[in-house]
Amino acid sequence: MTAESVQEPRPVTQCAAVPSAVLDGPVSHAISRVARLHRITAGRALRNLGLHPGQEFLMMHLWDCGAVRQSELIKALGLDPSTVTKMLQRLEQSGHVRRRPDPADRRASLVEATDASRELLVEVREAWGELERQTLDGLDSAECAELTRLLGKVEATLCTEVARGGLTECDAPYKGPGVC
């Protein structure tokens, strides 16, 4: 190797704390980062229960609503039919759901939570309680209430925007208790 072929190492460049492309959207950038971290944290808790992220929402719907048509479940979750089908296959294999023909329309399938999934309901509820504690650690009750109120307003605004595009994901926006 000659002296000419040896290159000096390039200095490490530091990236800006906030990408320049989001300078006009710092709140959206913050929401995106928080949502990503929240999903990672939730995913860890769900993995301990044998669930993949998103499956808990499907199960919550079944626990609350009882048996529903697969097509209604797809609409309620706002997911692609193939995604819901894959989720149902995994949950069926693990014994948490069962599918059966709809007696009112044999072409349709009803999906329901199994009795065995009731233990999972308790575990999911505990996991979401712990996620809530981790998420809101450091906020007092007034700040928690304000955060819930503000997120509700943001959600309502975004639901209006989504509805303008003809989508129905916001037919029933979250109206939870707002309790920390």
Side-chain angles (χ1 to χ4, degrees):
M1 195 180 314
T2 65
E4 291 101 26
S5 65
V6 176
Q7 293 182 337
E8 289 292 318
R10 292 184 179 169
V12 177
T13 56
Q14 295 294 327
C15 290
V18 177
S20 61
V22 299
L23 290 178
D24 290 337
V27 172
S28 294
H29 186 247
I31 289 171
S32 184
R33 287 189 340 263
V34 168
R36 181 181 156 275
L37 292 169
H38 190 268
R39 186 165 175 84
I40 289 168
T41 305
R44 287 182 185 150
L46 294 170
R47 203 174 11 244
N48 293 335
L49 303 179
L51 293 174
H52 296 275
Q55 290 178 332
E56 80 279 20
F57 293 111
L58 186 151
M59 292 305 304
M60 288 176 190
H61 188 80
L62 295 177
W63 289 321
D64 289 348
C65 298
V68 297
R69 285 187 177 177
Q70 188 168 333
S71 59
E72 292 171 22
L73 190 57
I74 289 165
K75 183 179 178 186
L77 296 174
L79 296 173
D80 184 77
S82 64
T83 301
V84 174
T85 298
K86 181 79 165 178
M87 287 175 145
L88 288 173
Q89 288 170 346
R90 286 180 173 165
L91 290 166
E92 203 169 25
Q93 288 169 357
S94 63
H96 296 308
V97 302
R98 77 175 137 259
R99 288 184 271 192
R100 59 182 168 85
D102 183 344
D105 180 356
R106 293 282 179 182
R107 296 169 297 168
S109 293
L110 287 178
V111 181
E112 61 189 346
T114 62
D115 290 338
S117 76
R118 296 296 171 199
E119 185 177 313
L120 183 64
L121 183 153
V122 172
E123 293 172 334
V124 166
R125 186 174 185 164
E126 289 171 356
W128 273 89
E130 179 57 27
L131 179 62
E132 185 85 352
R133 284 185 286 286
Q134 291 172 1
T135 300
L136 300 174
D137 187 36
L139 299 180
D140 63 34
S141 60
E143 291 169 324
C144 289
E146 181 68 359
L147 178 61
T148 302
R149 185 185 73 75
L150 292 171
L151 288 173
K153 287 181 78 168
V154 169
E155 180 185 22
T157 300
L158 291 174
C159 280
T160 300
E161 189 60 34
V162 166
R164 281 190 196 129
L167 300 175
T168 58
E169 277 82 4
C170 295
D171 286 344
Y174 176 72
K175 302 214 185 309
V179 177
C180 292

